[in-house]
Amino acid sequence: MDNQENILNIALNLFTLKGYEAAGVQEIVETANVTKPTLYHYFGSKRGLLDALLKKYFDVITKKAEEACTYSGDLPFTLTRVTETFFNFAKKNETFYRMQMAMCFSSTGSEPFIATKDYNIKLLALLEKMFLLASEDHGNMKNRQKRYAFTFLGIINSYISLYLNSGIKLNDEAVYSAVHQFSHGIYS
Amino acid sequence: MDNQENILNIALNLFTLKGYEAAGVQEIVETANVTKPTLYHYFGSKRGLLDALLKKYFDVITKKAEEACTYSGDLPFTLTRVTETFFNFAKKNETFYRMQMAMCFSSTGSEPFIATKDYNIKLLALLEKMFLLASEDHGNMKNRQKRYAFTFLGIINSYISLYLNSGIKLNDEAVYSAVHQFSHGIYS
DNA sequence: CATTTACTATACCGATCGGTATATTTGTTC
DNA sequence: GAACAAATATACCGATCGGTATAGTAAATG
């Protein structure tokens, strides 16, 4: 088993279970059955480990979101595709999504928040760009891309949060529901 | 200046800014211009300090939520009143609401999550009870009180999160919007 | 005035924190 | 097989962690 990958997996579990600050480096290496120098050889620091972990998963969701966000004249269709993309990613990477949401809601001065900030900004920018293109076809949403991006991702994350904590299904019905709930907020 | 109250205020600020784990007892007492024994005299432990802080604010919102959740036959009216109650509390206690949301989204095994758990369950139970009463008048929502309570609070917190992080106003329009967005999810 | 109670300061505790210096092992290349 | 770089182990670092023993002060009570 690859030590580097193993450390990443253990770190993901411990960060998710106990939180980034509460999970000690010592605990991580013990659980992964390696020693500290091994961890520091690969990642340089605890923060470096976190960064590597975030990059590993955020690169995936960012790329998928990029593809899903291409606007082709049909906004409901695009919104549905984006929602499906996020739901599928969350289902495939439950633990990571748990960790990521906790970090995104953590204190603005904390390391986890700072480490995830740019990734979340990037995701919002993709949504914003999509809404900007769509605004040429929907006059009533001009100059509101930022808020729409924020609220849309907010609704998506609400559903994912419900999935993770309350056990609802993220099926086609949930996608439909999320998209329509957001649209209802837009067009009224 | 009352040392006890002062420590609570400083702790609220530091927990919110840096997170519960990252904010050290030493830092708290230095910022509050007291010494450790003073803090431990009043609160017994760091966890005791957190508990006192949570109790101070949660007791207020819980009481207000209790009043607002009394169902009187008019569900939209009750939902509006509940939403207003939460919005007003969040506006009056921005820092606390920030901290509380971070803790509620934090790792399920972390101290802050455990410390806030019962309070959040209590709030959800109040909403649940309201939906249960209302279900006698709305046949199509039988046995769904739990999910409705969860999603309703989720939407409320989404709006408050937007208010805290993106600067939207929590005015009557926002209340109307939140209630209708939730209702749209229910009745469809 | 004596006593008690609430409160606060000095100084300290063991444990753990993130991180590293040094040495040894492992696998690859010439 | 010699030389070299990557990877891992032993043992350790100063700093900080949450928490406390002891002693003293301040104010109220007898």
Side-chain angles (χ1 to χ4, degrees):
Chain A
M1 169 142 44
D2 187 331
N3 275 337
Q4 187 171 4
E5 199 67 22
N6 188 229
I7 292 172
L8 281 174
N9 290 334
I10 297 291
L12 172 60
N13 283 330
L14 286 178
F15 288 166
T16 304
L17 187 65
K18 311 183 60 176
Y20 174 77
E21 313 275 357
V25 172
Q26 190 67 43
E27 190 180 4
I28 293 171
V29 297
E30 274 171 13
T31 310
N33 270 311
V34 296
T35 55
K36 276 194 190 182
T38 303
L39 187 151
Y40 281 90
H41 169 73
Y42 286 117
F43 305 106
S45 65
K46 190 184 182 185
R47 172 63 190 272
L49 170 59
L50 174 61
D51 287 337
L53 189 55
L54 294 175
K55 181 170 171 44
K56 175 183 173 185
Y57 289 90
F58 265 114
D59 278 356
V60 175
I61 181 61
T62 302
K63 193 182 174 187
K64 291 195 176 176
E66 259 172 14
E67 295 165 10
C69 279
T70 55
Y71 176 69
S72 54
D74 187 343
L75 186 57
F77 174 78
T78 309
L79 294 181
T80 300
R81 193 176 51 197
V82 169
T83 305
E84 281 171 348
T85 301
F86 274 90
F87 281 9
N88 286 333
F89 179 80
K91 281 195 278 189
K92 274 194 189 170
N93 308 278
E94 285 191 22
T95 309
F96 173 77
Y97 217 94
R98 270 216 160 79
M99 186 190 78
Q100 180 266 332
M101 282 197 66
M103 292 180 171
C104 144
F105 278 96
S106 67
S107 318
T108 53
S110 67
E111 276 209 326
F113 182 87
I114 295 168
T116 51
K117 193 177 178 183
D118 285 347
Y119 290 112
N120 285 314
I121 288 178
K122 170 73 178 170
L123 286 178
L124 278 172
L126 290 173
L127 294 173
E128 209 177 309
K129 189 179 152 200
M130 179 197 68
F131 282 115
L132 182 64
L133 287 174
S135 72
E136 296 169 7
D137 302 333
H138 298 71
N140 64 332
M141 60 192 287
K142 273 190 168 52
N143 292 86
R144 295 188 185 174
Q145 321 94 23
K146 243 186 185 92
R147 181 185 300 186
Y148 286 157
F150 211 99
T151 56
F152 185 45
L153 192 54
I155 286 184
I156 288 176
N157 280 334
S158 291
Y159 273 80
I160 294 177
S161 170
L162 277 170
Y163 164 72
L164 293 172
N165 301 319
S166 158
I168 71 158
K169 305 274 181 196
L170 289 185
N171 50 19
D172 290 349
E173 191 195 333
V175 172
Y176 178 89
S177 189
V179 170
H180 280 251
Q181 208 161 342
F182 171 72
S183 305
H184 183 266
I186 279 193
Y187 301 125
S188 64
Chain B
M1 171 144 42
D2 185 347
N3 275 337
Q4 188 171 4
E5 198 67 22
N6 188 229
I7 291 172
L8 281 174
N9 290 334
I10 297 289
L12 173 60
N13 284 329
L14 286 179
F15 288 166
T16 305
L17 187 65
K18 310 184 62 176
Y20 173 76
E21 312 275 358
V25 172
Q26 190 66 43
E27 189 181 3
I28 293 171
V29 297
E30 275 171 12
T31 310
N33 270 311
V34 296
T35 56
K36 276 193 189 181
T38 302
L39 187 151
Y40 281 89
H41 168 74
Y42 286 117
F43 305 105
S45 66
K46 190 186 182 184
R47 172 61 191 273
L49 170 59
L50 174 61
D51 287 337
L53 189 53
L54 293 174
K55 182 169 171 47
K56 174 182 172 185
Y57 289 91
F58 265 113
D59 278 356
V60 175
I61 180 61
T62 301
K63 194 180 175 189
K64 291 194 175 176
E66 259 172 14
E67 295 165 11
C69 280
T70 56
Y71 175 69
S72 53
D74 187 344
L75 186 57
F77 174 78
T78 309
L79 294 181
T80 300
R81 193 176 52 198
V82 170
T83 306
E84 281 170 348
T85 301
F86 275 89
F87 282 9
N88 286 332
F89 179 80
K91 282 195 277 189
K92 274 194 189 170
N93 308 278
E94 286 192 21
T95 308
F96 174 78
Y97 216 93
R98 271 214 158 81
M99 187 190 77
Q100 181 266 331
M101 283 198 67
M103 292 180 171
C104 145
F105 277 96
S106 66
S107 318
T108 53
S110 67
E111 277 209 325
F113 182 87
I114 295 168
T116 52
K117 193 176 179 183
D118 285 346
Y119 290 113
N120 285 314
I121 288 178
K122 171 73 178 168
L123 286 178
L124 278 172
L126 291 173
L127 294 173
E128 210 176 309
K129 189 178 151 199
M130 178 197 69
F131 282 116
L132 181 64
L133 288 175
S135 72
E136 296 169 6
D137 304 332
H138 299 70
N140 64 332
M141 59 192 289
K142 273 191 167 53
N143 293 86
R144 297 189 183 173
Q145 322 93 20
K146 240 184 186 95
R147 181 185 299 186
Y148 286 157
F150 211 100
T151 56
F152 185 45
L153 192 54
I155 287 185
I156 288 176
N157 280 334
S158 291
Y159 273 80
I160 295 177
S161 170
L162 278 170
Y163 163 72
L164 293 173
N165 301 320
S166 157
I168 71 159
K169 305 275 182 196
L170 290 185
N171 49 21
D172 290 348
E173 191 194 332
V175 172
Y176 178 88
S177 189
V179 170
H180 279 251
Q181 208 160 344
F182 171 73
S183 305
H184 183 267
I186 280 193
Y187 301 125
S188 65

